[in-house]
Amino acid sequence: PFFVNRGGLPVDEPTWERMWRHVGRIHPEGDRVAQRIRGAADLPKIPIPSVPVFQPSTPIPERLEAVQRYIRELQYNHTGTQFFEIKKSRPLTGLMDLAKEMTKEALPIKCLEAVILGIYLTNNMTTLDRFPISFKTHFSGNYFRHIVLGVNFGGRYGALGISRREELMYKAPVFRTLSELVFDFEEAYRRCWHTLKKVKLGHCVSHDPHSVEQIEWKRSILDLDKLTREDFRKELERHARDMRLKIGKGTGPPSPTKDRKKDVSSPQRGQASPHRRNSRGDRRPSGEKKPADSKAMPDLNGYQIRV
């Protein structure tokens, strides 16, 4: 019942249909149970968590705590049904639209959905670096996978996310290095009798919610069976250094949406700056004028009209 009639908000029909089909498969009287729930008029109203709103003066650590509190209030999805389909290959703008839908429907989520939601809720924190961290563990003959959103603020590392285990989601940004953060997750897994096998690290995610870039989910793949403890630490710090260099140099690919707007709004500006492409030796003295070429002018005007 925790996902039924949540605050009276309607959920799109395909989502409801998936839930009822799942109930029908796993419950002995699934169809009758589903119909009885759908027809009930006296179900209690489940409160909808409020999306956190911040004042400009609110410190980043307090904002992260509020975001994590909101994610936790949505609850972990134990139903076995995936309420939101997340394709990692989708552009960032599409994933942000999906995150907005999550806040409207307020249904329980799993770890990957929490990462997308964490990115959405921290987009306006431009001084915060966000990157995905994936874990692969082994327990009792089976492999398990988990993902959180790593964060870096002021040189301190932390994480946002959701999990069945309290110690495998939120980490306050207090860790001095990325390796300290990952080692803390490894120790938490050890307390759950899980053995960490692989760690996948992505690059920093853009703060532009309209970007058509894809999230880089696995820039570095670290296999602990092939690395010594010291090599593991060095690889983690190398990845952290690469992220800092990428941010410092601003070498990330620009958003195509921005380039397209710039080209459409000022086509003549791009044409009127050939000195950017020429070498310094090809420049003419400031007093020298280029003779007019009457034959070339009609072609140039025609090109501008076509653009």
Side-chain angles (χ1 to χ4, degrees):
F2 61 83
F3 59 80
V4 176
N5 196 22
R6 185 154 197 158
L9 284 180
V11 179
D12 60 278
E13 190 65 20
T15 302
W16 281 114
E17 290 303 327
R18 286 200 304 272
M19 288 190 287
W20 299 131
R21 284 200 302 270
H22 183 72
V23 171
R25 286 197 302 268
I26 65 175
H27 197 280
E29 300 179 353
D31 293 335
R32 280 188 289 179
V33 171
Q35 292 299 327
R36 189 164 62 249
I37 293 176
R38 299 181 81 168
D42 57 345
L43 293 175
K45 298 290 185 181
I46 306 299
I48 300 176
S50 299
V51 178
V53 179
F54 309 108
Q55 298 295 328
S57 59
T58 306
I60 294 297
E62 292 185 15
R63 298 188 187 193
L64 293 177
E65 289 181 6
V67 169
Q68 180 62 41
R69 189 160 51 247
Y70 173 78
I71 292 175
R72 191 194 307 266
E73 288 174 353
L74 290 177
Q75 303 179 23
Y76 188 87
N77 181 6
H78 293 277
T79 65
T81 299
Q82 193 78 26
F83 295 146
F84 304 97
E85 183 182 7
I86 297 180
K87 296 181 179 180
K88 291 185 176 181
S89 59
R90 289 188 67 182
L92 185 59
T93 179
L95 294 175
M96 293 302 95
D97 290 340
L98 183 59
K100 187 181 298 184
E101 182 184 348
M102 293 182 203
T103 62
K104 291 180 179 179
E105 297 188 0
L107 293 170
I109 58 176
K110 291 188 176 181
C111 58
L112 181 56
E113 295 158 304
V115 168
I116 301 302
L117 196 55
I119 295 173
Y120 173 75
L121 295 174
T122 58
N123 270 335
N124 60 346
M125 307 180 197
T126 55
T127 57
L128 184 74
D129 301 328
R130 300 88 45 85
F131 56 97
I133 308 176
S134 304
F135 304 97
K136 179 182 179 181
T137 60
H138 183 263
F139 171 72
S140 187
N142 297 311
Y143 289 95
F144 300 85
R145 289 169 175 82
H146 181 49
I147 187 170
V148 297
L149 180 66
V151 296
N152 180 10
F153 173 70
R156 300 284 175 162
Y157 290 88
L160 298 171
I162 198 168
S163 171
R164 296 181 181 89
R165 297 282 186 171
E166 184 74 21
E167 58 270 30
L168 292 176
M169 42 187 192
Y170 176 65
K171 303 289 183 182
V174 297
F175 297 90
R176 295 177 298 174
T177 63
L178 177 58
S179 58
E180 287 184 6
L181 173 64
V182 174
F183 290 163
D184 188 82
F185 273 105
E186 183 183 26
E187 179 59 29
Y189 271 119
R190 189 176 293 114
R191 291 194 295 268
C192 300
W193 305 101
H194 280 237
T195 302
L196 186 60
K197 291 294 185 180
K198 281 186 179 182
V199 176
K200 298 178 182 179
L201 302 161
H203 251 315
C204 292
V205 181
S206 170
H207 285 270
D208 179 9
H210 306 294
S211 172
V212 295
E213 300 174 23
Q214 294 179 348
I215 297 176
E216 194 168 4
W217 297 95
K218 46 185 180 180
R219 176 75 172 187
S220 300
I221 303 176
L222 308 181
D223 190 339
L224 274 69
D225 290 335
K226 300 179 181 179
L227 295 171
T228 64
R229 188 69 173 178
E230 181 61 19
D231 289 339
F232 183 37
R233 185 192 65 80
K234 288 181 179 179
E235 287 299 316
L236 290 171
E237 296 312 313
R238 181 194 61 77
H239 182 85
R241 186 170 59 252
D242 289 347
M243 287 195 297
R244 289 195 300 269
L245 290 174
K246 182 177 181 180
I247 296 171
K249 293 181 179 179
T251 55
S255 173
T257 56
K258 293 182 179 180
D259 290 348
R260 197 178 300 120
K261 291 178 181 178
K262 188 182 297 182
D263 291 340
V264 171
S265 61
S266 57
Q268 295 183 2
R269 185 175 182 178
Q271 295 240 339
S273 55
H275 61 276
R276 294 178 183 262
R277 297 188 298 271
N278 295 340
S279 63
R280 187 178 298 271
D282 294 338
R283 297 181 183 176
R284 298 185 303 277
S286 58
E288 181 182 349
K289 296 183 179 179
K290 183 179 179 180
D293 188 351
S294 58
K295 296 182 180 179
M297 291 304 291
D299 294 337
L300 181 59
N301 292 333
Y303 175 77
Q304 292 175 339
I305 291 173
R306 286 197 298 273
V307 171

